[in-house]
Structure formats: structure tokens, C-alpha cells
Amino acid sequence: MPTIQRALISVTDKTGVVDFAAALHSLGVELVSTGGTAAMIRQAQVPVRDVSELTGFPEMLDGRVKTIHPMIAGGVLAIRDNADHMAALRTHSIRVIDMVVVNLYAFEKVAARKDATIDELIESIDIGGPTLIRAAAKNWQDVAVVVSPADYDTILAEMRARGGEVPRSMCWELAKKAFGLTASYDRAIAATRPVG
């Protein structure tokens, strides 16, 4: 696993995210973020770039479109040992993203409300989050995917001990956790009560 040089952070559960971002920054990691997460990090005086600055495209459709973009997906999905992948990144001026820190909209909380409308349910379905999580988990050998604040301290300890690297074995465990999260998220949506 290469040294973590760039992290994308976009979280609904912001528990500990500012401290995690500050620690990543202190380890030399460039931070890229979205909306409210970026605002919190910036408010803590931690340097962070907006995703829209990276993509050259604004967040739009009430936030429905922000991270689904080739400048993000390419940086996450490129296999570092694949010369063709890396050449394609250079051709399109895409830089790699080594860590994806994402958790998902709280769909189950909305679905548990008896008075939740179908519109509220639909707007509580995360699209960009699962896409990023699955992309990072698929490319686990090159990207650390972080879906739980409970893992922040362990990851930082490893990075400090290894000069900014996250060990391959940890990346695999994080990827499995990530796939478990997206699977349970989709199950929760599929189990939603009928609307009528």
C-alpha cells in the first residue's frame, strides 16, 4: 500500500471527523471534501479543498451530484500497478485518491418514522456514498476505505507507525467492512414498508 497522500472525506456521521482530518493533515495528507463536511473541517482551520474545485464542476441537483465524476472515480479506481491506468490518469490530469472516508445518509432512521413520506424516503437514499465506498473497496489494494468513525484511531496509529501507510491487511479488512455496510444499506431500502 502506498503512502496516503490524498483523502476524500464526505460523511453524514461527523463524529470525530474534524480530529481525524486534522491528524491526516498533520501526516501530510491533502484533504478533499464536500458540503457540510468541508465546512466543518475548514472551520477548524484545517486546509481542505472542495470536491467542486477538484472536478471543475459545481455540486448540483440539491447535492445529488457532487462526487460522481471521472476526476473522482478515476482517482479512486485506477490500479497503481497498471501502466495503462496510470497513463490514462496522466492523459486526463487526474490525481489518485488514496483514502475514501465516507458514511451514508441515515435511511433507516427516516424509514423507521411512521410519518415519513415517500419523498423523504427517496431523498434519504444515498447514491454517491455507496458508489464511492464500493469503488474504493473494489480497489482495496491501493485505496483505504473508511466507513466508521470507530476505525479512525486505529488507522491513524498504523499510519504514524508506518510513515503514512495503511497496511494491506488492514485495507482488506476495511474493504470487507465497507461491502458489508453497502449490502446492509441496500437491504434496509429493499425492506421499506409499502407506500400507497
Side-chain angles (χ1 to χ4, degrees):
M1 178 79 199
T3 302
I4 305 296
Q5 296 180 11
R6 175 184 272 185
L8 172 61
I9 306 175
S10 182
V11 293
T12 299
D13 178 358
K14 294 178 174 53
T15 305
V17 74
V18 170
D19 290 340
F20 188 56
L24 290 174
H25 172 68
S26 74
L27 289 165
V29 178
E30 178 188 359
L31 306 176
V32 180
S33 189
T34 60
T37 306
M40 279 186 71
I41 294 170
R42 195 171 284 118
Q43 189 172 37
Q45 307 300 312
V46 178
V48 61
R49 293 179 68 189
D50 289 314
V51 163
S52 57
E53 181 185 344
L54 190 69
T55 63
F57 202 85
E59 293 185 21
M60 60 182 290
L61 306 180
D62 298 321
R64 282 184 169 202
V65 177
K66 51 192 169 196
T67 57
I68 299 175
H69 191 282
M71 296 297 283
I72 302 297
V76 173
L77 283 165
I79 298 171
R80 307 326 190 240
D81 289 338
N82 184 314
D84 291 339
H85 284 201
M86 300 312 288
L89 293 193
R90 287 190 296 275
T91 297
H92 298 286
S93 301
I94 298 173
R95 290 180 52 206
V96 297
I97 295 170
D98 309 299
M99 179 180 281
V100 169
V101 184
V102 174
N103 51 55
L104 305 175
Y105 297 165
F107 177 84
E108 288 177 292
K109 286 184 181 176
V110 176
R113 287 185 18 230
K114 299 294 184 199
D115 64 339
T117 67
I118 186 65
D119 288 342
E120 288 176 304
L121 290 169
I122 295 300
E123 287 309 310
S124 297
I125 297 173
D126 201 319
I127 301 301
T131 301
L132 277 173
I133 289 170
R134 290 177 60 82
K138 176 175 180 169
N139 205 21
W140 67 272
Q141 76 281 357
D142 291 317
V143 181
V145 57
V146 185
V147 298
S148 172
D151 293 320
Y152 293 169
D153 289 342
T154 305
I155 291 164
L156 289 171
E158 289 288 349
M159 289 178 68
R160 289 179 180 125
R162 296 169 177 267
E165 293 183 14
V166 177
R168 186 177 172 89
S169 58
M170 176 177 274
C171 287
W172 176 238
E173 293 305 317
L174 290 169
K176 290 193 296 182
K177 180 182 281 192
F179 282 125
L181 174 67
T182 58
S184 63
Y185 193 76
D186 286 341
R187 277 194 302 274
I189 294 168
T192 303
R193 70 185 183 280
V195 292

